[in-house]
Amino acid sequence: MKSYKFDTRWMLSLFGTAVGAGILYLPIRAGTGGFWPVVAMGFVIFPMVYLSHRALSRFVSQASGADKDITHAAEEYFGRNTALFISVLYFFAIFPICLAYCVGISNTFESFIYHQFLPLASADVAEFIQSIYQVSTSENDKVVANLFPFYRALLVFILVSLFMIVMLLSEELITRICEWLVYPLCAILFLFSLYLIPHWNLESFTHIPHFKEFITIVWLTLPVLVFSFN
């Protein structure tokens, strides 16, 4: 029973990590091309992602030892040299995802500090925050605030360091915290979905792009959705 609870916590933790980019941001970006191209891409992407992840899971699970990862499994099956090559390929498959999340979380904190935290800060803190931001106005009269390069690099270093510290903690503790966070996250997502019902635009169901435009949308958006599933 303990193993089952641990697996459940991992499942909820993975779902929580998927909500940000995998369920919200990237599919919404893909949805700008229309509803039916996304449906078509769903039929193409699901077997690609499902079969590849299932094969990877079986590849690692069949290795001797419950604590073995993909590197040990590859070495056991193919030898040290081939395992090194597979590990390098796996690294280059995961590293861009880490970079994308690093950029995304940095942009989120950068915007949060200026637009949400700044109005609540004291006078001295607010003055310091304003001094490290470069503020401009877009064509739509929207305020665009960006950290100066040095301070953005410092912010990225702090955020990545905090994430690394979290990863050094106990796996049991991390999965428990993620499990606690998933439930309010799901509740907020559900309530927000209900709130947006009056703003639904059903015209996208009746609009089907021309064949060339349809193929172009699918071709350009397919990597985005594959990335979101990963």
Side-chain angles (χ1 to χ4, degrees):
M1 190 65 180
K2 182 179 180 181
S3 176
Y4 173 77
K5 289 183 178 179
F6 182 75
D7 293 339
T8 303
R9 286 203 304 271
W10 257 115
M11 179 185 67
L12 293 174
S13 301
L14 292 174
F15 176 77
T17 60
V19 167
I23 295 179
L24 292 179
Y25 177 70
L26 292 176
I28 288 176
R29 296 284 294 178
T32 57
F35 174 76
W36 294 111
V38 174
V39 173
M41 285 184 286
F43 282 104
V44 175
I45 292 170
F46 178 76
M48 292 171 54
V49 175
Y50 173 74
L51 294 176
S52 61
H53 281 69
R54 187 182 68 172
L56 180 61
S57 300
R58 291 179 175 178
F59 177 79
V60 177
S61 299
Q62 293 298 322
S64 59
D67 59 339
K68 302 300 183 182
D69 55 17
I70 185 173
T71 304
H72 295 89
E75 184 174 355
E76 180 178 335
Y77 295 143
F78 306 111
R80 185 174 183 83
N81 293 332
T82 306
L84 179 61
F85 176 71
I86 293 176
S87 299
V88 171
L89 293 180
Y90 188 73
F91 169 79
F92 283 109
I94 299 299
F95 186 65
I97 299 177
C98 296
L99 289 179
Y101 276 104
C102 181
V103 172
I105 196 68
S106 300
N107 292 340
T108 301
F109 270 86
E110 184 181 37
S111 176
F112 173 80
I113 292 172
Y114 188 86
H115 294 286
Q116 277 76 39
F117 180 73
L118 178 61
L120 303 176
S122 61
D124 295 336
V125 175
E127 183 179 357
F128 172 74
I129 292 176
Q130 290 175 340
S131 66
I132 63 176
Y133 273 85
Q134 184 178 8
V135 183
S136 60
T137 305
S138 64
E139 297 178 355
N140 301 327
D141 294 331
K142 182 180 179 181
V143 177
V144 179
N146 297 312
L147 284 167
F148 287 106
F150 171 78
Y151 293 103
R152 179 172 174 85
L154 182 61
L155 175 65
V156 172
F157 176 78
I158 293 174
L159 292 175
V160 173
S161 299
L162 290 175
F163 293 149
M164 295 301 296
I165 292 174
V166 170
M167 293 304 298
L168 293 176
L169 298 176
S170 169
E171 181 180 1
E172 182 86 8
L173 177 62
I174 294 175
T175 54
R176 284 188 180 277
I177 294 176
C178 291
E179 181 185 14
W180 297 334
L181 293 176
V182 163
Y183 295 112
L185 185 64
C186 293
I188 293 172
L189 182 61
F190 176 73
L191 294 175
F192 192 68
S193 301
L194 295 179
Y195 170 77
L196 290 177
I197 289 178
H199 304 280
W200 282 3
N201 182 9
L202 302 180
E203 294 181 359
S204 60
F205 287 91
T206 59
H207 174 70
I208 301 178
H210 298 294
F211 180 77
K212 183 178 180 180
E213 182 184 359
F214 192 98
I215 296 299
T216 302
I217 293 173
V218 171
W219 180 257
L220 295 178
T221 315
L222 193 64
V224 176
L225 287 183
V226 172
F227 177 79
S228 70
F229 274 95
N230 287 330

